[in-house]
Amino acid sequence: MAARVVPATGLAGEGASVAKAFRNGLKGITGHLEPAERELLRGLLDDVISMLEPAEQANEDPLAALIGLDLNVTEPGDRALKRLLPNVMKDDGDASLEFRQLTERSLRETKIGALRAAALDLDRDELVLTEAGAGHWSMALNDVRLVLAERLDIQDEEDANHVHQMQDWSQAEDVESYLALVYNFTTWLQESLMQAMLETLERP
Amino acid sequence: MTLSVALGPDTQESTRTGTETTTDVLNAPDVPWNLVIWNDPVNLMSYVSYVFQSYFGYSESKANKHMLEVHKKGRSIIAHGSREQVERHAVAMHGFGLWATVEKSDGGKGGSGDGTGRGRGKRG
């Protein structure tokens, strides 16, 4: 698991180390993102949405589609997609596939719903999140990070620490370093959101 | 979730030995399934704790205890229940992006024999 992220930086990098993207206040959870940050996020959200959108199927049984059943579903070949839609049993591929037929379609729809909701929020001038909206944002950012992490081949804590070293946008020289910076940006964003969301939880 | 046939008519019953069937019947009423959360290097500790608190209604300390168990031991049994119950939770966890599986409870020992270290938790 990834620990709390320090130092915190937005795209702006230097001078922004104490900046918070999200904070919990009187109006609820509010966020501040620069236009370039919004643009970047929009692209990432769209990418993950297109990964999750199921291919149009010819001759699909409309009743099966209606109840969310998908008998043609297979275990994803793409590692990132498999991380988003994992097997439900560790050592039983058949049972996992059977479960997938019953649940994967609605799981994809749940994820796409959260990603679309976050993308819509980005079109507003002011980012003020409802409780449900904050939930969508946290799920969407998490799925974006899971996909980026697979592209960066983050397999263990050591890999994660290595990627975390990349904090300076002037270091972005190739696709991998750029992806690492984008990953760190989304991590910082999600951590900031989680701290705000944890504050809103009712304490006994 | 309509997958489970834990106690229902079992079309494969004839292939089982009498002993296995008896064991199933004995175990079944004792809510014999676990929901397991696996460690991964991506999910934030704060996020995992938030999900445990908001979805399961766990206290902050209970949520953090499970979160740290996932982090340090590679996995944690976060809930028990009937197969339908833990499967429903598993889909919810997948919705959150947590890496969850369900497994039959190992006679109350928690089935922890598989989680010998975080290295075992690598995806593949």
Side-chain angles (χ1 to χ4, degrees):
Chain A
M1 226 176 288
R4 188 168 180 168
V5 183
V6 182
T9 49
L11 282 190
E14 83 284 350
S17 59
V18 292
K20 273 189 178 178
F22 291 100
R23 59 180 74 239
N24 182 39
L26 288 174
K27 286 197 286 185
I29 293 176
T30 55
H32 177 77
L33 292 168
E34 299 295 329
E37 294 173 331
R38 289 171 184 246
E39 201 53 43
L40 175 65
L41 283 172
R42 224 174 256 125
L44 293 168
L45 294 167
D46 286 348
D47 282 350
V48 181
I49 289 170
S50 58
M51 280 175 66
L52 285 166
E53 272 172 342
E56 291 286 329
Q57 292 175 11
N59 308 320
E60 189 177 32
D61 180 346
L63 181 59
L66 193 67
I67 61 173
L69 193 64
D70 188 355
L71 297 175
N72 299 321
V73 75
T74 53
E75 195 176 307
D78 179 62
R79 268 196 352 198
L81 194 57
K82 193 179 171 192
R83 181 59 189 83
L84 296 181
L85 309 167
N87 280 348
V88 77
M89 290 195 201
K90 194 131 177 70
D91 302 310
D92 192 336
D94 289 346
S96 291
L97 185 62
E98 197 183 337
F99 189 73
R100 206 175 267 285
Q101 292 171 344
L102 294 168
T103 59
E104 191 187 285
R105 184 188 290 263
S106 74
L107 179 59
R108 284 175 186 258
E109 283 166 3
T110 301
K111 287 177 175 291
I112 289 171
L115 291 153
R116 287 218 175 107
L120 273 177
D121 281 338
L122 283 174
D123 291 336
R124 300 195 201 156
D125 289 338
E126 209 181 355
L127 218 50
V128 183
L129 302 183
T130 60
E131 192 184 331
H136 289 145
W137 266 86
S138 67
M139 289 166 78
L141 286 172
N142 206 68
D143 281 348
V144 164
R145 291 181 58 247
L146 288 170
V147 171
L148 287 169
E150 286 297 347
R151 302 293 182 238
L152 282 161
D153 201 23
I154 298 178
Q155 296 280 336
D156 53 32
E157 315 278 340
E158 202 179 320
D159 297 337
N161 288 336
H162 179 71
V163 166
H164 187 61
Q165 303 301 314
M166 283 292 292
Q167 291 286 349
D168 183 353
W169 284 86
S170 66
Q171 290 176 277
E173 290 161 347
D174 49 28
V175 173
E176 202 196 344
S177 56
Y178 176 75
L179 278 182
L181 288 157
V182 171
Y183 177 79
N184 290 333
F185 165 66
T186 53
T187 302
W188 165 75
L189 204 56
Q190 193 193 8
E191 180 63 33
S192 159
L193 178 61
M194 294 329 299
Q195 293 308 321
M197 287 174 75
L198 283 166
E199 279 179 31
T200 66
L201 283 179
E202 278 185 323
R203 299 289 171 216
Chain B
M1 221 57 51
T2 53
L3 246 190
S4 174
V5 287
L7 274 176
D10 191 336
T11 53
Q12 294 183 336
E13 192 134 17
S14 58
T15 64
R16 293 185 175 183
T17 69
T19 311
E20 278 169 354
T21 305
T22 307
T23 309
D24 280 352
V25 171
L26 284 177
N27 281 345
D30 299 323
V31 284
W33 285 78
N34 296 328
L35 176 70
V36 181
I37 303 292
W38 298 85
N39 191 34
D40 72 62
V42 179
N43 285 332
L44 293 167
M45 289 176 163
S46 53
Y47 181 64
V48 174
S49 179
Y50 183 87
V51 170
F52 289 173
Q53 288 179 63
S54 62
Y55 177 82
F56 293 106
Y58 289 167
S59 67
E60 185 181 11
S61 64
K62 184 174 182 181
N64 286 342
K65 182 176 155 276
H66 280 288
M67 179 271 287
L68 288 171
E69 189 178 37
V70 174
H71 185 60
K72 288 173 180 162
K73 296 188 178 168
R75 52 173 263 158
S76 176
I77 294 169
I78 186 77
H80 308 268
S82 68
R83 183 167 174 180
E84 285 95 339
Q85 285 170 327
V86 293
E87 283 177 345
R88 197 164 59 241
H89 292 325
V91 172
M93 292 300 109
H94 293 171
F96 285 113
L98 302 201
W99 188 18
T101 58
V102 300
E103 64 182 25
K104 218 168 199 171
S105 177
D106 186 16
K109 288 174 193 142
S112 56
D114 196 28
T116 49
R118 68 180 63 164
R120 294 288 299 274
K122 286 207 175 188
R123 285 149 272 148

CSV table of all heavy atoms in Angstrom, one decimal, chain B residues 40-69:
chain,number,residue,atom,x,y,z
B,40,ASP,N,-1.5,-4.1,-2.3
B,40,ASP,CA,-0.9,-3.7,-3.5
B,40,ASP,C,-0.2,-2.4,-3.3
B,40,ASP,O,-0.4,-1.7,-2.3
B,40,ASP,CB,-1.9,-3.6,-4.6
B,40,ASP,CG,-2.8,-2.4,-4.5
B,40,ASP,OD1,-2.3,-1.3,-4.5
B,40,ASP,OD2,-4.0,-2.6,-4.3
B,41,PRO,N,0.8,-2.1,-4.1
B,41,PRO,CA,1.6,-0.9,-3.9
B,41,PRO,C,1.0,0.4,-4.3
B,41,PRO,O,1.6,1.5,-4.2
B,41,PRO,CB,2.9,-1.2,-4.7
B,41,PRO,CG,2.4,-2.0,-5.8
B,41,PRO,CD,1.2,-2.8,-5.3
B,42,VAL,N,-0.2,0.4,-4.8
B,42,VAL,CA,-0.9,1.6,-5.4
B,42,VAL,C,-1.9,2.2,-4.4
B,42,VAL,O,-1.9,3.5,-4.2
B,42,VAL,CB,-1.5,1.2,-6.7
B,42,VAL,CG1,-2.2,2.5,-7.3
B,42,VAL,CG2,-0.5,0.7,-7.7
B,43,ASN,N,-2.8,1.4,-3.9
B,43,ASN,CA,-3.9,2.0,-3.1
B,43,ASN,C,-3.3,2.7,-1.9
B,43,ASN,O,-2.5,2.2,-1.2
B,43,ASN,CB,-4.8,0.9,-2.7
B,43,ASN,CG,-5.7,0.5,-3.8
B,43,ASN,OD1,-6.0,1.2,-4.7
B,43,ASN,ND2,-6.2,-0.8,-3.8
B,44,LEU,N,-3.8,3.9,-1.7
B,44,LEU,CA,-3.3,4.7,-0.5
B,44,LEU,C,-3.9,4.2,0.8
B,44,LEU,O,-5.0,3.7,0.8
B,44,LEU,CB,-3.8,6.2,-0.7
B,44,LEU,CG,-3.2,6.9,-1.9
B,44,LEU,CD1,-4.0,8.2,-2.1
B,44,LEU,CD2,-1.7,7.2,-1.6
B,45,MET,N,-3.1,4.2,1.8
B,45,MET,CA,-3.5,3.8,3.1
B,45,MET,C,-4.8,4.6,3.6
B,45,MET,O,-5.7,4.0,4.1
B,45,MET,CB,-2.4,4.0,4.2
B,45,MET,CG,-1.3,3.1,4.0
B,45,MET,SD,0.1,3.5,5.2
B,45,MET,CE,1.0,2.0,5.2
B,46,SER,N,-4.8,5.9,3.3
B,46,SER,CA,-5.9,6.7,3.7
B,46,SER,C,-7.2,6.3,2.9
B,46,SER,O,-8.3,6.2,3.5
B,46,SER,CB,-5.6,8.2,3.4
B,46,SER,OG,-5.2,8.3,2.0
B,47,TYR,N,-7.0,5.9,1.7
B,47,TYR,CA,-8.2,5.5,0.9
B,47,TYR,C,-8.7,4.1,1.4
B,47,TYR,O,-9.9,4.0,1.6
B,47,TYR,CB,-7.7,5.4,-0.6
B,47,TYR,CG,-8.9,5.0,-1.5
B,47,TYR,CD1,-10.0,5.8,-1.7
B,47,TYR,CD2,-8.8,3.8,-2.2
B,47,TYR,CE1,-11.0,5.4,-2.6
B,47,TYR,CE2,-9.8,3.4,-3.1
B,47,TYR,CZ,-10.9,4.2,-3.3
B,47,TYR,OH,-11.9,3.9,-4.2
B,48,VAL,N,-7.8,3.2,1.6
B,48,VAL,CA,-8.2,1.9,2.1
B,48,VAL,C,-9.0,2.0,3.5
B,48,VAL,O,-10.0,1.4,3.7
B,48,VAL,CB,-7.0,0.9,2.2
B,48,VAL,CG1,-7.4,-0.4,2.9
B,48,VAL,CG2,-6.4,0.7,0.9
B,49,SER,N,-8.4,2.8,4.3
B,49,SER,CA,-9.0,3.1,5.6
B,49,SER,C,-10.4,3.7,5.5
B,49,SER,O,-11.4,3.3,6.1
B,49,SER,CB,-8.1,3.9,6.5
B,49,SER,OG,-8.8,4.2,7.8
B,50,TYR,N,-10.5,4.7,4.6
B,50,TYR,CA,-11.8,5.4,4.3
B,50,TYR,C,-12.8,4.4,3.8
B,50,TYR,O,-14.0,4.4,4.3
B,50,TYR,CB,-11.6,6.5,3.3
B,50,TYR,CG,-12.9,7.2,3.1
B,50,TYR,CD1,-13.3,8.3,3.9
B,50,TYR,CD2,-13.8,6.8,2.1
B,50,TYR,CE1,-14.5,9.0,3.8
B,50,TYR,CE2,-15.0,7.5,1.9
B,50,TYR,CZ,-15.3,8.6,2.7
B,50,TYR,OH,-16.5,9.2,2.6
B,51,VAL,N,-12.4,3.5,2.9
B,51,VAL,CA,-13.4,2.5,2.3
B,51,VAL,C,-13.8,1.6,3.5
B,51,VAL,O,-15.0,1.3,3.6
B,51,VAL,CB,-12.7,1.7,1.2
B,51,VAL,CG1,-13.6,0.5,0.8
B,51,VAL,CG2,-12.5,2.6,0.0
B,52,PHE,N,-12.9,1.1,4.3
B,52,PHE,CA,-13.3,0.2,5.4
B,52,PHE,C,-14.2,0.9,6.3
B,52,PHE,O,-15.2,0.3,6.9
B,52,PHE,CB,-12.0,-0.3,6.1
B,52,PHE,CG,-11.2,-1.3,5.4
B,52,PHE,CD1,-10.0,-1.7,5.9
B,52,PHE,CD2,-11.6,-1.8,4.1
B,52,PHE,CE1,-9.2,-2.6,5.2
B,52,PHE,CE2,-10.8,-2.7,3.4
B,52,PHE,CZ,-9.6,-3.1,4.0
B,53,GLN,N,-14.0,2.2,6.6
B,53,GLN,CA,-14.9,2.9,7.5
B,53,GLN,C,-16.2,3.2,6.9
B,53,GLN,O,-17.3,3.0,7.5
B,53,GLN,CB,-14.2,4.2,8.0
B,53,GLN,CG,-13.0,4.0,8.9
B,53,GLN,CD,-12.4,5.4,9.3
B,53,GLN,OE1,-13.0,6.2,9.9
B,53,GLN,NE2,-11.1,5.5,8.9
B,54,SER,N,-16.2,3.7,5.7
B,54,SER,CA,-17.5,4.1,5.1
B,54,SER,C,-18.3,3.0,4.6
B,54,SER,O,-19.6,3.0,4.7
B,54,SER,CB,-17.2,5.1,4.0
B,54,SER,OG,-16.5,4.5,2.9
B,55,TYR,N,-17.7,2.0,4.0
B,55,TYR,CA,-18.5,0.9,3.5
B,55,TYR,C,-18.9,-0.1,4.5
B,55,TYR,O,-20.1,-0.5,4.6
B,55,TYR,CB,-17.7,0.1,2.4
B,55,TYR,CG,-18.5,-1.0,1.8
B,55,TYR,CD1,-19.5,-0.9,0.8
B,55,TYR,CD2,-18.3,-2.3,2.3
B,55,TYR,CE1,-20.2,-1.9,0.3
B,55,TYR,CE2,-19.0,-3.4,1.8
B,55,TYR,CZ,-20.0,-3.2,0.8
B,55,TYR,OH,-20.7,-4.3,0.3
B,56,PHE,N,-18.0,-0.6,5.4
B,56,PHE,CA,-18.3,-1.6,6.4
B,56,PHE,C,-18.8,-0.9,7.7
B,56,PHE,O,-19.3,-1.7,8.6
B,56,PHE,CB,-17.1,-2.5,6.7
B,56,PHE,CG,-16.7,-3.3,5.5
B,56,PHE,CD1,-15.6,-3.0,4.8
B,56,PHE,CD2,-17.5,-4.4,5.2
B,56,PHE,CE1,-15.2,-3.9,3.7
B,56,PHE,CE2,-17.1,-5.3,4.1
B,56,PHE,CZ,-16.0,-5.0,3.4
B,57,GLY,N,-18.7,0.4,7.8
B,57,GLY,CA,-19.1,1.0,9.1
B,57,GLY,C,-18.2,0.7,10.2
B,57,GLY,O,-18.5,0.9,11.4
B,58,TYR,N,-16.9,0.4,9.9
B,58,TYR,CA,-16.0,0.1,11.0
B,58,TYR,C,-15.5,1.4,11.6
B,58,TYR,O,-15.4,2.4,11.0
B,58,TYR,CB,-14.8,-0.7,10.4
B,58,TYR,CG,-15.1,-2.1,10.0
B,58,TYR,CD1,-14.2,-2.9,9.2
B,58,TYR,CD2,-16.2,-2.8,10.4
B,58,TYR,CE1,-14.4,-4.2,8.8
B,58,TYR,CE2,-16.5,-4.1,10.0
B,58,TYR,CZ,-15.6,-4.8,9.3
B,58,TYR,OH,-15.9,-6.1,8.9
B,59,SER,N,-15.1,1.3,12.9
B,59,SER,CA,-14.5,2.4,13.6
B,59,SER,C,-13.1,2.7,12.9
B,59,SER,O,-12.6,1.9,12.2
B,59,SER,CB,-14.3,2.1,15.0
B,59,SER,OG,-13.3,1.1,15.2
B,60,GLU,N,-12.6,3.9,13.2
B,60,GLU,CA,-11.4,4.3,12.6
B,60,GLU,C,-10.3,3.3,13.1
B,60,GLU,O,-9.4,2.9,12.3
B,60,GLU,CB,-11.0,5.7,13.1
B,60,GLU,CG,-9.7,6.2,12.5
B,60,GLU,CD,-9.4,7.6,13.0
B,60,GLU,OE1,-10.0,8.1,14.0
B,60,GLU,OE2,-8.5,8.3,12.4
B,61,SER,N,-10.3,2.9,14.4
B,61,SER,CA,-9.2,2.0,14.8
B,61,SER,C,-9.3,0.6,14.2
B,61,SER,O,-8.3,0.0,13.8
B,61,SER,CB,-9.2,1.9,16.4
B,61,SER,OG,-10.4,1.4,16.8
B,62,LYS,N,-10.6,0.1,14.1
B,62,LYS,CA,-10.7,-1.2,13.5
B,62,LYS,C,-10.4,-1.1,12.0
B,62,LYS,O,-9.7,-2.1,11.5
B,62,LYS,CB,-12.2,-1.7,13.6
B,62,LYS,CG,-12.4,-3.1,13.1
B,62,LYS,CD,-13.8,-3.6,13.4
B,62,LYS,CE,-13.9,-5.0,12.8
B,62,LYS,NZ,-15.2,-5.6,13.1
B,63,ALA,N,-10.8,-0.1,11.3
B,63,ALA,CA,-10.4,0.1,9.9
B,63,ALA,C,-8.9,0.1,9.7
B,63,ALA,O,-8.3,-0.5,8.8
B,63,ALA,CB,-11.1,1.3,9.3
B,64,ASN,N,-8.2,0.9,10.6
B,64,ASN,CA,-6.8,1.0,10.5
B,64,ASN,C,-6.1,-0.3,10.8
B,64,ASN,O,-5.0,-0.6,10.2
B,64,ASN,CB,-6.3,2.2,11.4
B,64,ASN,CG,-6.6,3.5,10.8
B,64,ASN,OD1,-6.9,3.6,9.6
B,64,ASN,ND2,-6.6,4.6,11.6
B,65,LYS,N,-6.6,-1.0,11.8
B,65,LYS,CA,-6.0,-2.3,12.1
B,65,LYS,C,-6.0,-3.2,10.9
B,65,LYS,O,-5.0,-3.8,10.6
B,65,LYS,CB,-6.8,-2.9,13.3
B,65,LYS,CG,-6.3,-4.2,13.8
B,65,LYS,CD,-7.1,-4.7,15.0
B,65,LYS,CE,-7.0,-6.2,15.2
B,65,LYS,NZ,-8.0,-6.9,14.3
B,66,HIS,N,-7.2,-3.3,10.2
B,66,HIS,CA,-7.2,-4.1,9.0
B,66,HIS,C,-6.3,-3.6,7.9
B,66,HIS,O,-5.7,-4.3,7.2
B,66,HIS,CB,-8.7,-4.3,8.5
B,66,HIS,CG,-9.5,-5.2,9.3
B,66,HIS,ND1,-9.3,-6.6,9.2
B,66,HIS,CD2,-10.5,-5.1,10.2
B,66,HIS,CE1,-10.2,-7.2,10.0
B,66,HIS,NE2,-10.9,-6.3,10.6
B,67,MET,N,-6.3,-2.3,7.8
B,67,MET,CA,-5.5,-1.7,6.7
B,67,MET,C,-4.1,-2.0,6.9
B,67,MET,O,-3.3,-2.3,6.0
B,67,MET,CB,-5.8,-0.1,6.7
B,67,MET,CG,-5.0,0.6,5.7
B,67,MET,SD,-3.4,1.2,6.3
B,67,MET,CE,-3.9,2.5,7.5
B,68,LEU,N,-3.6,-1.9,8.2
B,68,LEU,CA,-2.2,-2.2,8.5
B,68,LEU,C,-1.9,-3.6,8.3
B,68,LEU,O,-0.8,-4.0,7.9
B,68,LEU,CB,-1.8,-1.7,9.9
B,68,LEU,CG,-1.7,-0.1,10.0
B,68,LEU,CD1,-1.6,0.3,11.4
B,68,LEU,CD2,-0.6,0.4,9.1
B,69,GLU,N,-2.9,-4.5,8.6
B,69,GLU,CA,-2.6,-5.9,8.4
B,69,GLU,C,-2.4,-6.2,6.9
B,69,GLU,O,-1.6,-7.0,6.5
B,69,GLU,CB,-3.8,-6.7,9.0
B,69,GLU,CG,-3.5,-8.2,9.0
B,69,GLU,CD,-4.7,-9.0,9.6
B,69,GLU,OE1,-5.9,-8.7,9.4
B,69,GLU,OE2,-4.4,-10.0,10.3
